Amino acid sequence: MSSLITAITEHDEAARFLAWPGDFDLDCGEHVEEVHLASGAALEGFAGDGAGGSFYFCGDGGEERPVLYADSEGQAALLAVGLPELLRLLLVVPWWRDCPTFSEEESERARARHLEDMPDLTAGRDRAAAALGLELPTEAEALARLREVVTGAGEAFTLIFTPDSLPYEPLFEV
């Protein structure tokens, strides 16, 4: 299997869609704070968002590793098991942060706001998915999987602010 990170860098349209509305940028991989996982497992920042948040691979391996997200406000959550799963979430529900209870109703409201600003959102999403070779779930499936990953994450995926040994707050209240 070829690298999805490489595929993103080779497909400008996919990279642009992931940058916005996905708010995922491979050029912003450095988190401003020193952090580590409670388990002591490896933590590798590989992308960021426009508000100073960071995406991390957890543990050893490649793009199949669990992906943790930390925002700039001291909150974090495991979002996906592997980069393919994360990208499917970002393509289908780029407004995932607006769905704190993982509900389809929240997603519908957020989708309507996004479509007002980006009427070609679905077409752009489909082109990005095709360029990356990803089959997309429905919004309901993506939100259900997000809920499953977030609620199933154990203490091993707790992000710690290293200087004070303080854990980040959960990104979702579940």
Side-chain angles (χ1 to χ4, degrees):
M1 179 177 169
S2 64
S3 164
L4 278 171
I5 289 176
T6 300
I8 293 167
T9 63
E10 292 175 349
H11 293 91
D12 290 340
E13 185 175 17
R16 281 192 306 273
F17 188 91
L18 287 168
W20 190 256
D23 207 10
F24 173 87
D25 189 344
L26 290 172
D27 293 330
C28 299
E30 291 297 318
H31 195 64
V32 296
E33 297 181 327
E34 186 180 346
V35 294
H36 67 275
L37 286 174
S39 67
L43 191 65
E44 178 188 347
F46 69 96
D49 67 16
S54 300
F55 295 89
Y56 295 95
F57 284 125
C58 302
D60 296 320
E63 294 177 356
E64 76 286 352
R65 293 177 283 171
V67 178
L68 183 131
Y69 171 77
D71 69 15
S72 61
E73 303 299 316
Q75 296 180 309
L78 189 69
L79 296 184
V81 179
L83 185 57
E85 186 171 275
L86 175 68
L87 295 179
R88 286 191 289 271
L89 172 67
L90 298 176
L91 290 168
V92 174
V93 190
W95 45 82
W96 60 270
R97 289 177 197 89
D98 295 330
C99 301
T101 66
F102 313 100
S103 77
E104 291 180 58
E105 293 79 17
E106 291 168 330
S107 188
E108 286 176 24
R109 286 190 298 273
R111 180 180 358 95
R113 288 191 305 272
H114 276 73
L115 286 171
E116 287 176 12
D117 295 334
M118 296 181 69
D120 63 340
L121 182 124
T122 303
R125 175 204 66 197
D126 292 346
R127 287 190 302 272
L132 299 175
L134 295 172
E135 290 188 29
L136 298 177
T138 65
E139 281 182 47
E141 291 167 337
L143 288 169
R145 179 61 182 151
L146 176 61
R147 175 191 270 291
E148 181 181 342
V149 171
V150 167
T151 59
E155 290 183 19
F157 293 104
T158 299
L159 192 64
I160 306 293
F161 177 60
T162 302
D164 294 336
S165 297
L166 294 174
Y168 271 50
E169 294 295 321
L171 189 61
F172 296 97
E173 296 298 324
V174 289

